Amino acid sequence: MKKEYDVFIQELIREVEALLGKGYHVMRSDYVNPNGGTRRMIAISDSLYGTAPCICMDAYYEMYQRPGDIPLAAADVVKAYHSQAQEAFDLSRVAEWGWAQGRVLFRLVDTGWNRELLEQAPHKDIPELGLSMVIYFPVQQVKAPGEGQAAVRVLYSLLEAWGVTEEELIGQALRNTQQQLPAKAYSIREMIQGSLEGEGRPSDGQDVCGRLPMYVLTNEQKLYGAGCMLYEGVLEREAERLGADLYILPSSVHEVMLFPALPDERGALDELRNMVAGINRSDALLARDVLSDQVFYYDRKKRKLTVAV
């Protein structure tokens, strides 16, 4: 019979603390996933506010159920901690706004799917899109575009420690994100050729996507790049380049696809919605990376972004 999870985690934390010795702090730190669900974690730090890699416990809970397994699990956790700690930033100054001010960034989530997350975290709702901005800051350098990134989500407790208002935080994150993660639009051909070259495969130079004028909008790191559609002047620039209003497909939290909304193609909206739904439910996209089931519309004359109807 399996141990109850709460009993398992208490025993494991005690064993990890014993292995690490003095100077370390081990605590349970469950993580609410964007779009629902919870990852059960423990955080290990070298001081109460120092570097604190978080390690997911679900796999350990499934693997270590026999009598005497806890020391084996603890040894694996300590090994994982030391591996992650080498990459982590020093967070000893995390409670200082002067340190955090230039680091906070924003990302987009679906408002309806993330009620539990939004109750805990400073955010800005965008009701006309059904989206919300949440704030985070990276704690690990990204070595190459498209790589993962360790990050800390900003909660209300941290906002209180900083002594700034929610409005001030959102404004700072908007400025930082636009400056530090500038927007870039790639043609589909460029994206595909970049993937082929990254895999060491030759490209024959032909446009495998035909003549359809479609672009992928993201940032230079290709992380949480869907937020680029809110950058000042970006959609205006892309609409002028394509000479049309835009349909915007949220293919993930990391990028959106831009299509020209030509007068004789407005009947394609249902097809575009089906495309978004198909992407969101495909095995290729993790649930936490899904942004929205909506298709958005940018009117270049009104300079206004809304849900497409």
Side-chain angles (χ1 to χ4, degrees), residues 15-84:
E15 189 71 25
V16 169
E17 287 179 329
L19 285 176
L20 288 171
K22 294 182 179 180
Y24 291 87
H25 183 71
V26 185
M27 62 181 179
R28 183 170 176 174
S29 180
D30 291 353
Y31 178 88
V32 178
N33 282 320
N35 303 332
T38 300
R39 279 186 287 168
R40 299 180 293 191
M41 319 281 286
I42 64 170
I44 305 173
S45 59
D46 57 5
S47 67
L48 187 57
Y49 299 107
T51 55
C54 289
I55 301 167
C56 185
M57 291 291 101
D58 291 343
Y60 293 95
Y61 181 53
E62 292 300 321
M63 290 171 60
Y64 295 106
Q65 291 296 326
R66 298 188 305 272
D69 273 357
I70 292 294
L72 296 175
D76 278 358
V77 169
V78 170
K79 182 178 179 181
Y81 161 73
H82 284 304
S83 176
Q84 292 186 33

Side-chain angles (χ1 to χ4, degrees), residues 25-235:
H25 183 71
V26 185
M27 62 181 179
R28 183 170 176 174
S29 180
D30 291 353
Y31 178 88
V32 178
N33 282 320
N35 303 332
T38 300
R39 279 186 287 168
R40 299 180 293 191
M41 319 281 286
I42 64 170
I44 305 173
S45 59
D46 57 5
S47 67
L48 187 57
Y49 299 107
T51 55
C54 289
I55 301 167
C56 185
M57 291 291 101
D58 291 343
Y60 293 95
Y61 181 53
E62 292 300 321
M63 290 171 60
Y64 295 106
Q65 291 296 326
R66 298 188 305 272
D69 273 357
I70 292 294
L72 296 175
D76 278 358
V77 169
V78 170
K79 182 178 179 181
Y81 161 73
H82 284 304
S83 176
Q84 292 186 33
Q86 293 176 1
E87 297 289 334
F89 280 4
D90 180 8
L91 301 182
S92 60
R93 300 180 61 193
V94 69
E96 301 175 20
W97 176 240
W99 178 89
Q101 186 173 8
R103 293 173 167 83
V104 291
L105 305 169
F106 86 87
R107 56 165 295 195
L108 293 176
V109 299
D110 184 280
T111 303
W113 298 341
N114 290 278
R115 297 293 183 190
E116 186 177 357
L117 183 158
L118 296 176
E119 288 176 0
Q120 305 173 22
H123 62 279
K124 180 180 179 179
D125 292 333
I126 311 169
E128 64 272 21
L129 303 179
L131 302 177
S132 296
M133 296 181 187
V134 294
I135 312 304
Y136 73 98
F137 57 87
V139 295
Q140 190 176 42
Q141 294 282 10
V142 176
K143 297 175 184 178
E147 283 193 355
Q149 180 186 62
V152 171
R153 182 188 300 155
V154 175
L155 303 180
Y156 281 116
S157 56
L158 195 49
L159 183 67
E160 184 177 349
W162 286 338
V164 298
T165 66
E166 195 165 1
E167 184 177 1
E168 289 171 330
L169 174 65
I170 297 293
Q172 186 65 52
L174 276 166
R175 290 189 291 273
N176 289 348
T177 308
Q178 292 181 82
Q179 292 169 5
Q180 297 174 26
L181 300 174
K184 184 170 178 61
Y186 299 84
S187 71
I188 288 296
R189 181 179 181 181
E190 288 175 321
M191 292 291 285
I192 291 176
Q193 286 183 330
S195 297
L196 294 177
E197 290 166 4
E199 296 172 6
R201 295 164 57 191
S203 169
D204 61 10
Q206 295 181 359
D207 189 346
V208 296
C209 294
R211 297 288 180 180
L212 181 65
M214 183 172 74
Y215 290 84
V216 175
L217 178 65
T218 184
N219 56 45
E220 291 185 350
Q221 291 185 351
K222 300 179 182 176
L223 284 168
Y224 303 133
C228 291
M229 66 179 173
L230 301 184
Y231 289 9
E232 185 176 356
V234 167
L235 291 183

